[in-house]
Coordinates of all heavy atoms in Angstrom, one line a residue:
T1 N 99.0 121.1 79.8 CA 99.3 120.7 81.2 C 98.7 119.4 81.5 O 97.4 119.3 81.6 CB 98.9 121.7 82.2 OG1 99.5 123.0 81.9 CG2 99.4 121.3 83.6
P2 N 99.5 118.3 81.7 CA 98.8 117.0 82.0 C 98.1 117.0 83.3 O 98.5 117.7 84.3 CB 100.1 116.0 82.1 CG 101.2 116.8 81.4 CD 100.9 118.2 81.6
L3 N 97.0 116.3 83.4 CA 96.3 116.2 84.7 C 97.1 115.3 85.6 O 97.8 114.4 85.3 CB 95.0 115.5 84.4 CG 93.9 116.3 83.7 CD1 92.8 115.3 83.2 CD2 93.4 117.4 84.5
P4 N 97.1 115.7 86.9 CA 97.8 114.9 87.9 C 97.2 113.5 88.0 O 96.0 113.4 87.8 CB 97.7 115.7 89.2 CG 96.4 116.5 89.0 CD 96.4 116.9 87.5
P5 N 98.0 112.5 88.3 CA 97.4 111.1 88.5 C 96.3 111.1 89.5 O 96.4 111.8 90.6 CB 98.6 110.3 88.8 CG 99.8 111.1 88.4 CD 99.4 112.5 88.5
L6 N 95.3 110.3 89.3 CA 94.2 110.1 90.3 C 94.6 108.9 91.2 O 94.8 107.8 90.7 CB 92.9 109.9 89.6 CG 91.7 109.7 90.5 CD1 91.4 111.0 91.2 CD2 90.5 109.4 89.6
Q7 N 94.6 109.2 92.5 CA 94.9 108.1 93.4 C 93.8 107.1 93.5 O 92.6 107.3 93.3 CB 95.1 108.7 94.8 CG 96.3 109.6 94.9 CD 96.5 110.2 96.3 OE1 95.7 110.0 97.2 NE2 97.6 110.8 96.6
I8 N 94.2 105.8 93.8 CA 93.2 104.7 93.9 C 92.2 105.0 95.0 O 92.6 105.5 96.1 CB 94.0 103.4 94.2 CG1 94.8 103.0 93.1 CG2 93.0 102.3 94.6 CD1 95.6 101.7 93.3
G9 N 91.0 104.8 94.7 CA 89.9 105.1 95.6 C 89.3 106.5 95.6 O 88.3 106.8 96.3
M10 N 89.9 107.3 94.7 CA 89.4 108.7 94.6 C 88.5 108.9 93.3 O 88.6 108.1 92.4 CB 90.6 109.6 94.6 CG 91.4 109.6 95.8 SD 90.5 110.1 97.3 CE 90.2 111.9 96.9
T11 N 87.7 109.9 93.4 CA 86.8 110.3 92.3 C 86.9 111.8 92.1 O 86.9 112.6 93.1 CB 85.4 109.9 92.5 OG1 85.3 108.4 92.6 CG2 84.4 110.4 91.4
R12 N 86.9 112.3 90.8 CA 86.9 113.7 90.6 C 86.1 114.0 89.3 O 85.9 113.1 88.5 CB 88.4 114.2 90.5 CG 89.1 113.7 89.2 CD 90.6 114.1 89.3 NE 91.4 113.5 88.2 CZ 92.7 113.6 88.1 NH1 93.4 114.1 89.1 NH2 93.3 113.1 87.1
Y13 N 85.8 115.3 89.1 CA 85.2 115.8 87.9 C 86.2 116.5 87.0 O 87.1 117.1 87.5 CB 84.0 116.7 88.2 CG 82.9 116.0 89.1 CD1 82.9 116.2 90.4 CD2 82.0 115.3 88.5 CE1 81.9 115.6 91.2 CE2 81.0 114.6 89.2 CZ 80.9 114.8 90.6 OH 80.0 114.2 91.3
L14 N 86.0 116.4 85.7 CA 86.9 117.0 84.7 C 86.0 117.8 83.8 O 85.0 117.4 83.2 CB 87.6 115.9 83.9 CG 88.5 114.9 84.7 CD1 89.0 113.9 83.8 CD2 89.6 115.6 85.5
M15 N 86.5 119.1 83.6 CA 85.9 119.9 82.5 C 86.8 119.8 81.3 O 88.0 120.1 81.4 CB 85.8 121.4 83.0 CG 84.7 121.6 83.9 SD 83.0 121.3 83.3 CE 83.0 122.3 81.8
G16 N 86.2 119.3 80.2 CA 87.0 119.1 79.0 C 86.4 119.8 77.8 O 85.3 120.5 78.0
Q17 N 87.0 119.6 76.7 CA 86.5 120.3 75.5 C 85.0 119.9 75.2 O 84.3 120.7 74.7 CB 87.4 119.9 74.3 CG 87.1 120.7 73.1 CD 88.1 120.3 71.9 OE1 87.9 119.3 71.3 NE2 89.2 121.1 71.8
G18 N 84.7 118.7 75.5 CA 83.3 118.2 75.2 C 82.3 118.4 76.2 O 81.1 118.1 76.0
G19 N 82.7 118.8 77.4 CA 81.7 119.0 78.5 C 82.3 118.5 79.9 O 83.5 118.6 80.1
L20 N 81.4 118.0 80.7 CA 81.8 117.6 82.0 C 81.9 116.1 82.1 O 81.0 115.3 81.6 CB 80.7 118.0 83.0 CG 80.9 117.6 84.5 CD1 82.2 118.3 85.1 CD2 79.7 118.0 85.3
Y21 N 83.0 115.6 82.7 CA 83.2 114.1 82.8 C 83.4 113.8 84.3 O 83.8 114.7 85.1 CB 84.5 113.8 82.0 CG 84.4 114.1 80.6 CD1 84.6 115.4 80.1 CD2 84.1 113.1 79.6 CE1 84.5 115.7 78.8 CE2 84.0 113.4 78.3 CZ 84.2 114.7 77.9 OH 84.1 115.0 76.5
I22 N 83.3 112.5 84.6 CA 83.6 112.0 85.9 C 84.7 111.0 85.8 O 84.7 110.2 84.8 CB 82.4 111.4 86.7 CG1 82.8 111.1 88.1 CG2 81.8 110.2 86.0 CD1 81.6 110.8 89.0
E23 N 85.7 111.1 86.6 CA 86.9 110.1 86.6 C 87.0 109.5 87.9 O 86.9 110.1 89.0 CB 88.2 110.9 86.3 CG 89.4 109.9 86.2 CD 90.7 110.7 86.0 OE1 90.7 111.9 86.2 OE2 91.7 110.0 85.6
S24 N 87.1 108.2 87.9 CA 87.2 107.4 89.2 C 88.3 106.3 89.1 O 88.5 105.7 88.0 CB 85.8 106.8 89.5 OG 85.8 106.2 90.8
A25 N 88.9 106.0 90.2 CA 89.9 105.0 90.2 C 89.6 104.0 91.3 O 90.3 103.9 92.4 CB 91.3 105.6 90.4
P26 N 88.6 103.1 91.1 CA 88.4 102.0 92.1 C 89.6 101.1 92.0 O 90.4 101.1 91.1 CB 87.1 101.4 91.6 CG 87.1 101.6 90.1 CD 87.7 103.0 90.0
A27 N 89.7 100.2 93.0 CA 90.8 99.3 93.1 C 90.8 98.3 91.9 O 91.9 97.8 91.5 CB 90.8 98.5 94.4
W28 N 89.7 98.1 91.3 CA 89.6 97.2 90.2 C 89.8 97.8 88.8 O 89.8 97.1 87.8 CB 88.3 96.4 90.2 CG 87.0 97.3 90.2 CD1 86.3 97.6 91.4 CD2 86.3 97.9 89.1 NE1 85.2 98.4 91.0 CE2 85.2 98.6 89.7 CE3 86.6 97.9 87.8 CZ2 84.4 99.3 88.8 CZ3 85.7 98.6 86.9 CH2 84.6 99.3 87.5
G29 N 89.9 99.1 88.7 CA 90.0 99.7 87.4 C 90.2 101.2 87.3 O 90.5 101.8 88.3
H30 N 89.8 101.8 86.2 CA 89.9 103.2 86.0 C 88.8 103.6 85.0 O 88.6 102.9 84.0 CB 91.3 103.6 85.4 CG 91.4 105.1 85.2 ND1 91.3 105.7 84.0 CD2 91.7 106.1 86.2 CE1 91.5 107.0 84.2 NE2 91.7 107.3 85.5
I31 N 88.1 104.7 85.3 CA 86.9 105.1 84.6 C 86.9 106.5 84.2 O 87.2 107.3 85.1 CB 85.6 104.8 85.3 CG1 85.5 103.3 85.8 CG2 84.4 105.1 84.5 CD1 84.6 103.1 87.0
I32 N 86.6 106.9 83.0 CA 86.3 108.3 82.6 C 85.0 108.2 81.8 O 84.9 107.5 80.8 CB 87.4 109.0 81.8 CG1 88.7 109.1 82.6 CG2 87.0 110.4 81.4 CD1 89.8 109.7 81.9
A33 N 84.0 108.9 82.3 CA 82.7 108.8 81.7 C 82.1 110.2 81.5 O 82.2 111.0 82.4 CB 81.7 107.9 82.5

């Protein structure tokens, strides 16, 4: 099941196979860490 797109300006946490991640979509880019 694909993850829903993250709206600009929003931040969320993701539980993945490797652990916990943070995803963010500032106006200047896109981050998953």
Side-chain angles (χ1 to χ4, degrees):
T1 304
L3 290 167
L6 183 62
Q7 295 181 351
I8 293 176
M10 297 298 291
T11 296
R12 66 189 179 190
Y13 298 98
L14 303 174
M15 283 301 300
Q17 188 179 82
L20 178 66
Y21 301 78
I22 188 167
E23 181 182 17
S24 189
W28 53 263
H30 183 258
I31 305 158
I32 298 179

